[in-house]
Amino acid sequence: MVTESSASFLGLDLSTQQLKAVIVNENLEILHEETVIFETHLPEYRTNGGVRVNKANPHEITAPTIMWIKALDLLMDKLIIASVDFSKIAAISGTAQQHGSVYWQNGAEKTLGNLDSSNFLHTQLATSFSVSDSPTWMDSTTKIECRCFEEAVGGPENLARITGSRAYERFTGPQIARISTHRPETFKNSERISLVSSFLASLFLGRIAPIDYSDASGMNLMDLRTKKWHPQLLKLCGPDIEKKLGDPVPSCSCLGTISPYFVERYGFNEKCKVIACSGDNPSSLIGMGIKDDWLAVSLGTSDTLLIWLSEPKTVLNGHILCNPLDPNAYMAILCFKNGSLAREKIRNRYADKSWDEFNELLESTPRGNFGYLGLHFDVEEILIAASGEFRYNKEGKKLSKFSSSEIEIRAAIEGQFLLRRLFAEEIGFKIGKGTKILATGGASCNKSILQVLSDVFGCPVYTQDNVNSALIGAAKQALIGFNKERGENNRADYLTPKLVCEPYKNSEDMYGPMVQKLVQIVKNIENESKQI
């Protein structure tokens, strides 16, 4: 019997390139971590970065479903070698790359429920999938299906209002429709269809797990407000699709107890709970622990903003998902392609590839940069259909270059964060007293950059020691679900962010007008791009 004082919680993260596990105690203190890297540890599947690209059609990007299962077998062996006591694990949950899909062969659920604990999972489930290579979030073969989805409900804006996003090629709904149309026999032989997150939960549950609300809202299939599959969109996905998908369930809900296979093979307690798994973005929100007065900013290859919303917005260039922590709330995702790589390019060009020199030049210029503003889109931006470099003076006049390296650097960094603030405010985030930013990702260790972020948004900026928010979020899902099942409230202070910097007092006077100026600049850039 697992006692409260000895209970631990297992979180898993099935991402594009690897499968990770973390074991934590009830205070979310990390007890153990392990990782299986697909390309390194499972070379027999010949993936590159965890995926396969179809040479005949480079837009088709998949991953071997059985590779993910073999990775779990390897991961469990690593945990055994590390002397993990599985009997103390009170609950399990997980997170996974969003938008990928898994197609279970007819009879697969019966196989899942009758596994032989003396054999590996991957040998017993080798023939359990009607589609051997799962479509991933990187796949972009569904342009025709996306058009059909938007037309079925009266256009992209209506689809965004209903499902939280306009049609995206990587989303699961159009992908299911494509398989149904192009491979009707395969579709017919598919007993159930999972997202990668619910597939992961299924392995531990011993039966096909339902999809949680948050991950379901990234499919272009579920009505955000009713939390049910939308009838008109379902019709595009093929016969018996409701049965193949099952009904979505609330995030962090308990799905049942762990499969006898894991009890017998690894010594899990038979009462260990399996909690609904979710996508990486919802789990990141859980892992960061943000609430409605927080803005999460991930400063990575792409910069991603996660925003807590009290009601859904209709956006054409972002995503609205169901909030995994509150069934009555929502979350917005804004992604900017030109993140750290754009910052590094500026550093290389104007600071001799040195972050120390970059920071020194950044700090040597005054906040507001004399009104100079720079926008650098090395690749076509997502929220602005434009690429190239754009420079402006305080009157909004376009320039070809600035007069010094330090002005170039500050103009670029301020330009990035002004653009992020502009779109965050448009989607519903309210800048004001009491709002805070939690920064994560590679650039969150650069205090000079974080100070600009703080000044532009007029908010204090915090960081956390553990930057793997999705994995920690998975472990926290297990803990939340376990406590809910026992009728206990969850504490709000599992993770304690550390204050890094605060905005200068007159920051809003400086940057508020610059955001307003940026509105017209963005319109001008978009109009110029349309004419090219």
Side-chain angles (χ1 to χ4, degrees), residues 191-387:
E191 179 178 33
R192 291 289 297 273
I193 300 172
S194 296
L195 297 184
V196 185
S197 59
S198 59
F199 155 78
L200 182 60
S202 302
L203 298 177
F204 285 95
L205 194 60
R207 55 184 169 83
I208 309 298
I211 300 168
D212 88 302
Y213 289 162
S214 290
D215 217 0
S217 53
M219 295 174 69
N220 279 143
L221 273 182
M222 191 184 78
D223 188 317
L224 285 176
R225 292 158 181 83
T226 66
K227 311 291 194 297
K228 297 182 183 297
W229 306 121
H230 191 272
Q232 286 174 272
L233 298 171
L234 280 181
K235 288 179 182 178
L236 302 174
C237 293
D240 299 321
I241 185 61
E242 283 187 272
K243 183 179 179 182
K244 293 179 190 294
L245 287 173
D247 294 327
V249 298
S251 302
C252 300
S253 56
C254 180
L255 304 178
T257 54
I258 195 166
S259 163
Y261 173 87
F262 287 90
V263 176
E264 296 165 11
R265 185 175 179 88
Y266 299 106
F268 277 87
N269 188 298
E270 62 183 11
K271 294 183 179 180
C272 175
K273 308 297 184 186
V274 178
I275 308 302
C277 300
S278 194
D280 47 13
N281 285 302
S283 294
S284 288
L285 182 138
I286 294 173
M288 290 179 180
I290 66 171
K291 292 292 185 181
D292 54 354
D293 56 349
W294 283 87
L295 172 69
V297 179
S298 176
L299 301 172
T301 303
S302 296
D303 287 351
T304 303
L305 275 59
L306 301 181
I307 304 168
W308 185 292
L309 296 176
S310 58
E311 58 184 27
K313 305 284 183 180
T314 300
V315 294
L316 292 177
N317 291 312
H319 309 293
I320 307 297
L321 304 180
C322 293
N323 192 307
L325 290 173
D326 185 342
N328 299 312
Y330 299 84
M331 62 178 286
I333 304 173
L334 294 173
C335 187
F336 301 84
K337 279 187 182 179
N338 295 276
S340 284
L341 294 182
R343 287 186 285 270
E344 288 174 13
K345 188 174 179 180
I346 293 294
R347 177 205 64 181
N348 295 344
R349 190 190 304 179
Y350 299 108
D352 197 28
K353 300 183 179 181
S354 166
W355 282 118
D356 289 338
E357 185 176 340
F358 175 94
N359 292 341
E360 186 177 337
L361 291 170
L362 179 60
E363 293 173 4
S364 70
T365 49
R367 285 169 293 116
N369 204 22
F370 309 106
Y372 293 118
L373 179 65
L375 296 171
H376 293 256
F377 306 135
D378 296 329
V379 294
E380 184 169 284
E381 192 47 82
I382 296 174
L383 303 182
I384 302 177
S387 59

Side-chain angles (χ1 to χ4, degrees), residues 15-324:
S15 65
T16 309
Q17 300 185 47
Q18 55 199 353
L19 175 63
K20 298 178 185 175
V22 64
I23 297 174
V24 302
N25 61 18
E26 58 266 28
N27 294 315
L28 284 187
E29 296 167 333
I30 295 174
L31 306 177
H32 198 80
E33 286 185 88
E34 286 293 347
T35 302
V36 172
I37 301 170
F38 304 141
E39 196 170 337
T40 303
H41 296 115
L42 295 165
E44 63 269 29
Y45 293 100
R46 300 183 180 276
T47 61
N48 185 2
V51 298
R52 290 171 172 168
V53 179
N54 185 341
K55 291 181 180 179
N57 181 5
H59 296 289
E60 186 175 283
I61 302 176
T62 61
T65 311
I66 202 66
M67 176 184 73
W68 294 335
I69 298 177
K70 191 170 184 180
L72 179 58
D73 285 328
L74 288 179
L75 189 71
M76 296 304 296
D77 281 351
K78 280 174 169 273
L79 293 172
I80 289 174
I81 292 169
S83 300
V84 168
D85 186 349
F86 295 106
S87 68
K88 292 184 177 180
I89 296 175
I92 298 170
S93 190
T95 184
Q97 53 172 292
Q98 287 195 265
H99 316 304
S101 47
V102 173
Y103 299 78
W104 298 89
Q105 178 72 273
N106 286 330
E109 187 160 49
K110 184 177 180 180
T111 302
L112 264 179
N114 292 279
L115 293 169
D116 179 358
S117 61
S118 66
N119 291 323
F120 286 113
L121 284 172
H122 73 272
T123 59
Q124 300 182 75
L125 295 173
T127 60
S128 292
F129 305 99
S130 54
V131 177
S132 58
D133 280 16
S134 289
T136 70
W137 66 272
M138 300 170 73
D139 185 275
S140 58
T141 57
T142 59
K143 186 169 289 186
I144 293 173
E145 288 76 15
C146 284
R147 262 200 319 269
C148 292
F149 266 62
E150 292 180 344
E151 290 171 359
V153 293
E157 188 168 342
N158 279 340
L159 185 64
R161 180 184 57 80
I162 295 166
T163 71
S165 303
R166 62 176 174 82
Y168 282 89
E169 291 187 52
R170 65 183 183 274
F171 275 33
T172 325
Q175 184 60 250
I176 293 171
R178 180 174 184 266
I179 288 177
S180 172
T181 302
H182 292 270
R183 303 166 67 180
E185 281 302 310
T186 296
F187 184 82
K188 182 180 178 181
N189 291 330
S190 299
E191 179 178 33
R192 291 289 297 273
I193 300 172
S194 296
L195 297 184
V196 185
S197 59
S198 59
F199 155 78
L200 182 60
S202 302
L203 298 177
F204 285 95
L205 194 60
R207 55 184 169 83
I208 309 298
I211 300 168
D212 88 302
Y213 289 162
S214 290
D215 217 0
S217 53
M219 295 174 69
N220 279 143
L221 273 182
M222 191 184 78
D223 188 317
L224 285 176
R225 292 158 181 83
T226 66
K227 311 291 194 297
K228 297 182 183 297
W229 306 121
H230 191 272
Q232 286 174 272
L233 298 171
L234 280 181
K235 288 179 182 178
L236 302 174
C237 293
D240 299 321
I241 185 61
E242 283 187 272
K243 183 179 179 182
K244 293 179 190 294
L245 287 173
D247 294 327
V249 298
S251 302
C252 300
S253 56
C254 180
L255 304 178
T257 54
I258 195 166
S259 163
Y261 173 87
F262 287 90
V263 176
E264 296 165 11
R265 185 175 179 88
Y266 299 106
F268 277 87
N269 188 298
E270 62 183 11
K271 294 183 179 180
C272 175
K273 308 297 184 186
V274 178
I275 308 302
C277 300
S278 194
D280 47 13
N281 285 302
S283 294
S284 288
L285 182 138
I286 294 173
M288 290 179 180
I290 66 171
K291 292 292 185 181
D292 54 354
D293 56 349
W294 283 87
L295 172 69
V297 179
S298 176
L299 301 172
T301 303
S302 296
D303 287 351
T304 303
L305 275 59
L306 301 181
I307 304 168
W308 185 292
L309 296 176
S310 58
E311 58 184 27
K313 305 284 183 180
T314 300
V315 294
L316 292 177
N317 291 312
H319 309 293
I320 307 297
L321 304 180
C322 293
N323 192 307

Side-chain angles (χ1 to χ4, degrees), residues 292-295 429-437 458-460 462:
D292 54 354
D293 56 349
W294 283 87
L295 172 69
F429 183 73
K430 293 180 173 27
I431 306 291
K433 189 175 180 180
T435 55
K436 301 175 282 291
I437 292 175
C459 303
Y462 295 75

